[in-house]
Each structure stands twice: as structure tokens, then as C-alpha cells.
Amino acid sequence: MPPKAKVTIKDVALKAGCGIATASRVLNNSGPTSAEVRERVNRAALDLGFSFSAIGRALQSSKSMTVGCLVPSLANPVFAEAVQGVQNELVGTNYQLLISSSNYDDKADDAAISTLVSKEVDGLIVTMVAPERSPALKLAHQRGIPASLMFHDPIKGFATSYVDNFEAARDVAQRFSECGHRRTGFLALRLATSDRSRNRYAGFHAECRARGMPDPALIELSETDANRPEKLAAILAAHPDLTAIFASNDFLAIAVQKAARLLGWIVPRDLSVVGFDGIEIGKLLDVPLATIETMPEKMGRQAAKSLLTAMQGGVLEQLPPLPFRFRAGATLAAPRAKSRDDGRVAAQPPSVPLIKTILKQG
Amino acid sequence: MPPKAKVTIKDVALKAGCGIATASRVLNNSGPTSAEVRERVNRAALDLGFSFSAIGRALQSSKSMTVGCLVPSLANPVFAEAVQGVQNELVGTNYQLLISSSNYDDKADDAAISTLVSKEVDGLIVTMVAPERSPALKLAHQRGIPASLMFHDPIKGFATSYVDNFEAARDVAQRFSECGHRRTGFLALRLATSDRSRNRYAGFHAECRARGMPDPALIELSETDANRPEKLAAILAAHPDLTAIFASNDFLAIAVQKAARLLGWIVPRDLSVVGFDGIEIGKLLDVPLATIETMPEKMGRQAAKSLLTAMQGGVLEQLPPLPFRFRAGATLAAPRAKSRDDGRVAAQPPSVPLIKTILKQG
DNA sequence: AACAAATATGGAAACGTTTCCATTCAGGTG
DNA sequence: CACCTGAATGGAAACGTTTCCATATTTGTT
């Protein structure tokens, strides 16, 4: 058994005593072949341990049978799950998944897309800092490479699989309001590089306004402070009037619980918290986390499904957003009665999705 | 602006009025070229928006500049982080990452490896159910494709980046013992498909024995029950004599806390819990989780680094395991005094890593 | 001024496929 | 028996590179 470094179809044809065209036809079941030569070719292929060179095939067919996928980081479980969803959908097709990540850097985003394109991927599935102004993505589009977005709100020219962050955030504001909260805060990480967080803030802000609540305090946490509960506690202490915090993800929400504990505050008596994403651990906490449940895996699946039909010549069409669901939890309750709703500075209004805000408020 | 579907080096050469060989030399800075033709070629390439076809290159050089990576699932944050580590290490090289996942199925493992090999990856980074008996992995090895393992203990023929699960688990047993615990349990998911969990159990078991403690109770949780705290509570209730649980990952450890709460038990007074992995959330809990901290990201990085040197012709050599660290947490304390250490059935001894067990105990 | 050496260039082969086309051969029809 | 149809086959081109080799040009040395 000599596992020759490279056994090509030429070797097979030689051993089977036929032309490579015939061997190709046998091996692919394409075109007519006699039973006798079929037998010889198959035996030769088996003996030699032949397998097709995907590269040779790709060159000749100009189809790489590869899908490129870009997300900010796999260290974020939400994106990791989404990529797994893509993968799950791709299993069973002949497509392979080429991945890349940008670490939330829009320059890296562009470079990554370019690289994927030069690898001649047949399609793209991307979540990036700013897809609407990525030259590389536009170029890919011009070259006819179908692209499917994940997590992003719809953009002209692309299909996207997403959850309506704006609406979900409005839901949270509504529940805060119904509980009797008025002064609220919105806590996020990396607002500048996450349209998701911005959209959540916009929706939250819009609904607070619509209900006559003061504008929510916008609290942005630095990457490093996210892992320093005492830092977060100090920030919370500086906002003693807030009775409810909407955190842009569940990890932050749990960090808020911790920070509150450090301050001697009791959740939800002294501070209500609602998270976003719906991670399982939230259910297991001493005080189970109220949150918005989303479906990252489904998001990936849907993006992949759309892309597959597009790559098979179909048209990329925009589906409705995936559903979200409010998960009740003990971190949300009515605020303790402490009536001081007087003059406080309002947070600045949302900058980016202003149109949407105005639109939805009517 | 006609972004022609495909602009090849031939087009560039034509536009620059030179041969393709010359164009290639200019574009690659390989071989001598005159300043004048250099100028023309570069301008033509720019005008046409030329970029190399990775496929054409791959075919001619028989290097795909692609690394294949297989993990059980990206939905497990530990693997996702490791893959991100691989990615981080690959950024800056010219290698791209092709990923696949098996969902903890060894047949799927093999199929995935085969697919990656037929895609002609230049190297492999894998975590699978049973690398030591994967035909596809062996085949890849025979074909001269370097492979680097992640999370697995060393195996003949492959380099691996791992943490010494056996030793880490012994550490936990030792701490249990020092706190005064005697009757302990080991809680895991998917024992059959996770050599990591098996090694942890083996180490835990070995050290318990070495210290004259009763064999730990081996509790395996089904996939679905992992999300049902009441189910886990029932199981714990059936083991009322246990004073400490070592959970094979932090999620399970947190689930144990929840289950204990359901039973009205107080952690750590009525039950101590130690987890594994060292996720950040553990620090934020009301009762911070004691756990073994590991470094999945570094694991991925190390695997990638080794592989890179191997692919550049170097030799794949086995590095020492990555360090682990016990993170103290309030979930571990001395058991409440309740002296009843009498006749109980011992769990069955570990089946797989028996040799290692015996060896280390002397 | 003659010649060697270095520099610059392009043709062509090779990488592994698939597919178009032409060729051969068998069998069936008139 | 001549003819046609259809099946079976293999040669060769094409996909986009890089690189070997041969040729043509320049430069430098006596």
C-alpha cells in the first residue's frame, strides 16, 4: 500500500487503460460508459485511493464550492452560535465554510472580505461593523457574488437575517413603563462598532419618549471595564436615580446584578435589570434574568438557506425578521417607591437611526 | 466602470503590452523587470481591478494556503474560543481557515476530515471524538498533511495543544479533600464522546482513591436534562450523602447551584461545587463559582502556531500542556458536620485511561 | 572593438479537472 | 448490402497561475 502523495484522474485512467475523459465520465456518472470500463475504472480508483482534487475542479468549473463567512469574533457566543447555524445548514450540501473575523475593526472587515473574494468564494455571509459602507462588500456585489447578511437591519441590495432590535428594545421600554419605571439606563459595549446596540438604544429611547419617560441614560462601558464589576458599580452609583437598566447583552446584565450587589443594592427591589440575547445561564441564576430571547442559530441557518438558493441561481429575497421573545425573570419588578422624578439631564438622542426613531413614533 | 466578471493576469499582460510571464514577475516581485514595464503592468492591474485567483495559484503551486479546522461544535463557547485563537494566529499569515463541525459524532468527524482533505488543506487542526482511531485522520497523515490536535492528550504521531485534564482534576480532588470532603460526585455530559471529561473523571477518581476517599459517584447527564434543573435536582436528591460535586464544565456547575437551590440546599454549606473551564460569568454570580481556569484561546493559538511551523517545513513537536489554575470561589467550603461515612457503593472505576491512573498513583 | 556577463523578456509546459468534439464501432432499418 | 443512428471512447482545449527555458538586449570588461 503505497499512499502516493497525489493520485490524479490521469493515474486512474492509466491504470484502467482508458482515456481520462472516460475515467472522468465513470467517476462522475456523467455520460455513457460501458459496464466493463466502468468496472475497471472504479477498481483502479479504489486501488489507488483516488479522490478528486477540489482545486482542479474549482479551476475548471470556476465554482469553489466554498462559502465565506465573516463575523466580528467567535469569542462572542452569539456569533459563534450563528456560525454554527450556518454550518448546520451547509452540512449535506457540497459547500464548505471559510471563516474570518475582524475583531470589531472595520478596516479588518474590509480586508477579510477582500481575502475571501480572492479565494473565489461562491457566496458570502457577513456580519460587520458597517456593511453599508464597505468598499470590499460592494465590489463583491459587483462581481456577482451573492451575499447574505446576519444580525443587520435590511440594507438595499442585500438580504439579511436579523431580529428587529428596535422593536425588541421598545418591548423592554414598554415593560419598564408598565412596571412603573421612569428613569432608566441603557448599558452597552462598543456602541460605535455595533449597529445592533445602536438600534436597541434607538428603539428603547423612542419608546421611552413615546411614553413620556425621561430619555434613558446612555452608559457605554469600555471593553476592559466590562470585566470589572467594581468599575460598573461606581458608574451605577453615579446614577442613583435610575430604577431600571436595559443591558445590551446578558453578560452585561449579569454584571449589573453583580455591581448592584457590590453596592448593597438588591435586584430587583433597588434596581431592575433586563438583558438581551437569552443565554441559558440566565435561567439558572439565583435571581433569574429577564431578557429578550433571540435565535442566533436560526439566524445563521436562515442566512445560509437564503444564500444557497441564491447560489443555485435563485434570487436573494428578504425574509421577515426572526422573532424575539421576552423572557420573564425576577430581575424585573416594580421600583421601590421613592418619588423623586424631578429635573435631570436627558441623555443625548440617538445619532444614527434617527429616521427610524422619528418614523416609528409618528 | 466595467467590473468585468473575471480579470486575469492575461488581461493585465494584454493591456500592459507584455507577456504574461513578465506580468507575473512584476505582480509578484519575482525576477528582474524594467522600471518601464513595471509601471505599465501595475497601472493596468489597477485599472482593471485585477486580483490573483487563489485557485489558479493553488493549482500551480499545489498549496491551497488553507488550514482545515474541525471541532465538535461552535455552540460550545470553549471550542468557539479556541477556533478564534486559531484565527487570531492565522491573521497576518496568508492562510485561510476552513471550518467544519461534527456535533460530537465520530462518523461525522471522519467525513469532515475527508472533505477537508479533498479540499487539499495544507494543514489540519482538530478536536474530535476519537482521533486515535479515525481512518480519515490517519489517511491525512499518510498523505503528509500535518495535523495539530486541540484539547486532546498526546497521541503518537501528532502534536497536541491541551491542558492536563487529569492533573487539573486531581487538583480539585485534593482541594475537596483538604476541605474535609469525602463523598464526592463527578458530573458530566456526553462522557462517551468526550475524552476530556473522561480524563477529568480519571484524575478525580485517582486522587480520591489516593487520599482514601470513597470513589466518586459518576453522574452522567443527558443532553436535554442539562437544561432541566429540576431533573438535576432529582438526581442530586438521590445522592444525599454527597458533600461536593465536581462538574465537568462551568455551565453544569451553575446548574448544580440552581438545582441545590431548588432542593433548599445552600451552596456551599450543604453542597460544594467546583466547575471547569473558568468562564467569566462564574465570577459574577451571587456565589462566585470555584473552578479550574483554562485558556482555550491560547490553545487554539498554540495549535495554529505549531501547525504553521510544520507547514513551513519545520517539524511538529509536542509542547508541554498549557497551564490551568484553580480559581477560588465561594462555592467551595468545608462540608457541614454530619458524620456518616459508612458503607456506600463505589462508582465503577474509570474504563479508558486506566493505565494513566495506575501510573500516576504509583 | 570584441566578447562575456548580466539583465529583460516571452513562449510554453505544468498543475487536475471537465467538456466539446471527432472518431470508432455496433446494431438496426430500408 | 448499404445506410443511419446511437453508444462508447479518447484527444485536446480551457480554467489562471508560476516557472523553466531560450532568446534578445544591455552593460561591463579587457
Side-chain angles (χ1 to χ4, degrees), chain B residues 147-168:
Chain B
S148 191
L149 269 39
M150 283 191 307
F151 295 99
H152 294 295
D153 277 20
I155 291 181
K156 54 158 188 53
F158 298 96
T160 179
S161 300
Y162 70 117
V163 64
D164 194 328
N165 292 290
F166 189 92
E167 286 303 323

Side-chain angles (χ1 to χ4, degrees), chain B:
Chain B
M1 43 111 131
K4 188 185 160 187
K6 216 85 184 209
V7 33
T8 78
I9 202 173
K10 201 178 290 188
D11 300 317
V12 173
L14 194 66
K15 174 145 188 176
C18 69
I20 59 173
T22 305
S24 175
R25 272 186 296 257
V26 171
L27 264 10
N28 289 296
N29 258 329
S30 63
T33 46
S34 70
E36 188 231 357
V37 75
R38 223 173 304 150
E39 160 68 15
R40 281 197 334 252
V41 168
N42 283 324
R43 149 147 264 96
L46 207 63
D47 287 355
L48 268 43
F50 169 79
S51 80
F52 284 108
S53 156
I55 295 184
R57 278 182 147 170
L59 183 60
Q60 119 77 28
S61 66
S62 54
K63 297 219 146 303
S64 67
M65 297 312 280
T66 292
V67 170
C69 181
L70 171 65
V71 292
S73 170
L74 291 172
N76 183 332
V78 172
F79 296 130
E81 253 187 74
V83 174
Q84 181 63 42
V86 170
Q87 175 68 223
N88 289 341
E89 199 64 36
L90 253 36
V91 164
T93 73
N94 285 321
Y95 287 96
Q96 301 303 305
L97 191 57
L98 205 48
I99 67 164
S100 198
S101 65
S102 67
N103 200 32
Y104 304 93
D105 173 357
D106 61 347
K107 297 297 292 179
D109 268 339
D110 244 50
I113 298 276
S114 295
T115 307
L116 291 175
V117 168
S118 83
K119 277 271 178 178
E120 272 144 306
V121 294
D122 295 331
L124 284 167
I125 296 180
V126 298
T127 302
M128 50 200 307
V129 170
E132 68 277 10
R133 57 189 134 88
S134 160
L137 187 58
K138 178 183 294 186
L139 191 71
H141 192 236
Q142 287 177 341
R143 290 225 187 153
I145 302 174
S148 191
L149 269 39
M150 283 191 307
F151 295 99
H152 294 295
D153 277 20
I155 291 181
K156 54 158 188 53
F158 298 96
T160 179
S161 300
Y162 70 117
V163 64
D164 194 328
N165 292 290
F166 189 92
E167 286 303 323
R170 280 186 57 193
D171 191 352
V172 174
Q174 178 184 336
R175 286 169 196 273
F176 277 169
S177 165
E178 285 168 1
C179 281
H181 293 280
R182 294 197 35 83
R183 302 209 166 269
T184 65
F186 179 82
L187 178 64
L189 225 52
R190 300 190 206 94
L191 214 42
T193 59
S194 169
D195 52 355
R196 303 169 295 290
S197 280
R198 289 196 304 270
N199 287 334
R200 283 168 209 162
Y201 177 57
F204 189 61
H205 178 273
E207 188 66 16
C208 284
R209 279 224 168 153
R211 295 178 167 262
M213 297 156 66
D215 283 354
L218 177 55
I219 306 174
E220 183 171 8
L221 215 55
S222 78
E223 195 79 22
T224 53
D225 285 353
N227 285 323
R228 305 209 188 311
E230 63 284 2
K231 208 68 191 290
L232 181 53
I235 295 174
L236 289 183
H239 293 267
D241 55 329
L242 304 182
T243 63
I245 300 275
F246 176 28
S248 192
N249 67 57
D250 286 345
F251 181 85
L252 284 178
I254 293 171
V256 169
Q257 290 188 63
K258 172 69 171 181
R261 227 177 289 121
L262 289 177
L263 291 169
W265 297 0
I266 292 182
V267 172
R269 194 197 62 181
D270 302 312
L271 187 68
S272 282
V273 185
V274 171
F276 202 104
D277 288 341
I279 63 176
E280 283 298 315
I281 285 182
K283 294 182 188 167
L284 302 177
L285 300 182
D286 190 20
V287 183
L289 180 65
T291 188
I292 296 285
E293 287 184 350
T294 65
M295 313 161 82
E297 201 266 351
K298 293 263 180 275
M299 216 166 290
R301 282 194 112 98
Q302 189 184 92
K305 219 175 301 190
S306 300
L307 189 65
L308 281 172
T309 74
M311 291 188 308
Q312 275 141 29
V315 64
L316 250 181
E317 64 179 322
Q318 180 60 54
L319 298 173
L322 286 158
F324 59 86
R325 176 182 156 268
F326 177 79
R327 182 203 292 166
T331 57
L332 173 59
R336 185 172 49 165
K338 50 165 181 174
S339 58
R340 38 174 186 134
D341 257 0
D342 29 62
R344 289 280 180 173
V345 277
Q348 69 262 35
S351 46
V352 173
L354 196 57
I355 316 98
K356 194 171 181 183
T357 306
I358 295 168
L359 232 65
K360 301 236 172 173
Q361 285 184 101

Side-chain angles (χ1 to χ4, degrees), chain A residues 169-209:
Chain A
R170 279 186 57 194
D171 191 354
V172 174
Q174 178 184 337
R175 286 168 196 273
F176 279 169
S177 165
E178 284 168 3
C179 282
H181 293 280
R182 294 196 37 83
R183 303 211 165 267
T184 65
F186 178 81
L187 178 64
L189 223 53
R190 303 190 204 92
L191 215 43
T193 60
S194 169
D195 52 357
R196 301 169 295 290
S197 280
R198 289 197 304 272
N199 287 334
R200 284 169 209 162
Y201 177 57
F204 189 61
H205 179 272
E207 187 66 16
C208 284
R209 279 225 169 151

Side-chain angles (χ1 to χ4, degrees), chain A residues 117-200:
Chain A
V117 168
S118 84
K119 278 272 179 178
E120 275 145 301
V121 294
D122 296 331
L124 284 167
I125 295 180
V126 298
T127 302
M128 51 200 307
V129 171
E132 68 279 9
R133 57 189 136 85
S134 162
L137 188 58
K138 179 184 295 186
L139 192 70
H141 192 237
Q142 287 177 341
R143 291 224 189 155
I145 301 174
S148 190
L149 269 39
M150 283 192 304
F151 295 99
H152 294 296
D153 277 20
I155 291 180
K156 55 156 187 54
F158 298 96
T160 180
S161 301
Y162 70 116
V163 64
D164 194 328
N165 291 291
F166 190 92
E167 286 303 323
R170 279 186 57 194
D171 191 354
V172 174
Q174 178 184 337
R175 286 168 196 273
F176 279 169
S177 165
E178 284 168 3
C179 282
H181 293 280
R182 294 196 37 83
R183 303 211 165 267
T184 65
F186 178 81
L187 178 64
L189 223 53
R190 303 190 204 92
L191 215 43
T193 60
S194 169
D195 52 357
R196 301 169 295 290
S197 280
R198 289 197 304 272
N199 287 334
R200 284 169 209 162

Side-chain angles (χ1 to χ4, degrees), chain A residues 219-343:
Chain A
I219 306 173
E220 183 171 8
L221 215 55
S222 78
E223 196 79 21
T224 53
D225 286 353
N227 285 322
R228 305 209 188 309
E230 63 283 3
K231 209 69 191 292
L232 182 53
I235 295 174
L236 288 183
H239 293 268
D241 54 330
L242 304 182
T243 63
I245 301 275
F246 176 28
S248 193
N249 67 56
D250 286 344
F251 181 85
L252 284 178
I254 294 171
V256 169
Q257 290 188 62
K258 171 71 170 180
R261 228 177 287 125
L262 289 177
L263 292 169
W265 297 359
I266 292 182
V267 171
R269 194 197 60 182
D270 302 312
L271 188 67
S272 282
V273 186
V274 171
F276 201 103
D277 287 343
I279 65 177
E280 283 298 315
I281 285 183
K283 296 182 188 168
L284 302 177
L285 299 182
D286 191 19
V287 182
L289 181 65
T291 187
I292 296 285
E293 287 185 350
T294 65
M295 313 161 83
E297 201 265 352
K298 293 261 181 276
M299 218 168 285
R301 282 194 111 100
Q302 188 183 94
K305 217 174 303 191
S306 300
L307 189 65
L308 281 173
T309 74
M311 291 189 308
Q312 274 140 30
V315 64
L316 251 181
E317 64 179 323
Q318 180 60 53
L319 298 174
L322 286 158
F324 59 85
R325 177 181 156 268
F326 177 78
R327 182 203 292 166
T331 56
L332 172 60
R336 185 172 48 167
K338 49 165 181 174
S339 57
R340 38 176 186 134
D341 256 359
D342 31 63

Side-chain angles (χ1 to χ4, degrees), chain A residues 18-19 21-22 25 32 34 37 59-60:
Chain A
C18 67
T22 306
R25 273 185 295 256
S34 69
V37 74
L59 183 59
Q60 121 76 24

